[in-house]
Amino acid sequence: MFTTPQSVQAETAYRQERIKRDFSRAAGRRERRAEASQPEPRHARRALRPTTAA
């Protein structure tokens, strides 16, 4: 197989795109994991409402 400057350039561009895609996918996974570890926000108004007597 002949190695031409165009084929080297195409291979480099392909590798850079894969690295960029893999990195952004991992960053998104990291953000979702951080969001999942935080507790759900509580709504204060719901807790302050009077409840019906059972």
Side-chain angles (χ1 to χ4, degrees):
M1 180 174 159
F2 296 96
T3 306
T4 63
Q6 289 85 10
S7 65
V8 172
Q9 190 177 17
E11 184 71 24
T12 304
Y14 171 75
R15 286 182 180 163
Q16 286 177 343
E17 283 297 317
R18 275 198 62 178
I19 290 169
K20 192 189 316 178
R21 187 172 59 235
D22 292 345
F23 181 78
S24 66
R25 192 180 309 149
R29 216 177 296 135
R30 216 175 297 125
E31 288 174 6
R32 272 178 274 161
R33 193 178 310 135
E35 289 173 8
S37 66
Q38 295 176 349
E40 287 289 322
R42 292 186 177 185
H43 298 287
R45 292 185 73 52
R46 180 175 291 166
L48 294 175
R49 281 194 193 128
T51 57
T52 57

